[in-house]
Amino acid sequence: MALIEAKRKEIQLHPADNVRVALTDLPKGDLITINEHTIVLQDFNKAKHKFFIHSLNAGDSVIMYGVLVGTAQTKRVVGAG
């Protein structure tokens, strides 16, 4: 019997990233499991948009592709888009 791989809903592009990217539209409240930790999405996330996998304070670095892509303008909680 062949195993069927579940379709991925999101992806982390680099191990250093503090965001993940939605591969499909993800509804608010959706559960994302990362290494045995579950994140509850705080917002509706459109495909190709990012959501935070760590809480950030205003001014903290946003890391994507393993590099600095911006800074948080406001406090962002885990699962916020």
Side-chain angles (χ1 to χ4, degrees):
M1 184 164 131
L3 295 176
I4 299 173
E5 186 175 329
K7 183 177 177 185
R8 293 190 70 174
K9 299 188 295 184
E10 45 70 36
I11 190 169
Q12 185 171 349
L13 300 171
H14 188 277
D17 293 352
N18 55 13
V19 296
R20 286 200 172 209
V21 179
L23 297 175
T24 184
D25 289 350
L26 300 175
K28 179 179 179 176
D30 205 8
L31 302 177
I32 303 294
T33 301
I34 303 169
N35 299 328
E36 301 174 12
H37 298 283
T38 301
I39 292 175
V40 179
L41 294 180
Q42 302 300 308
D43 305 297
F44 171 77
N45 285 275
K46 292 181 77 168
K48 303 179 187 175
H49 289 247
K50 62 186 174 292
F51 60 90
F52 293 92
I53 58 173
H54 302 289
S55 292
L56 299 179
N57 291 312
D60 285 352
S61 298
V62 177
I63 306 297
M64 189 171 171
Y65 312 109
V67 299
L68 175 68
V69 295
T71 56
Q73 299 302 302
T74 60
K75 181 176 179 154
R76 307 304 292 169
V77 298
V78 173

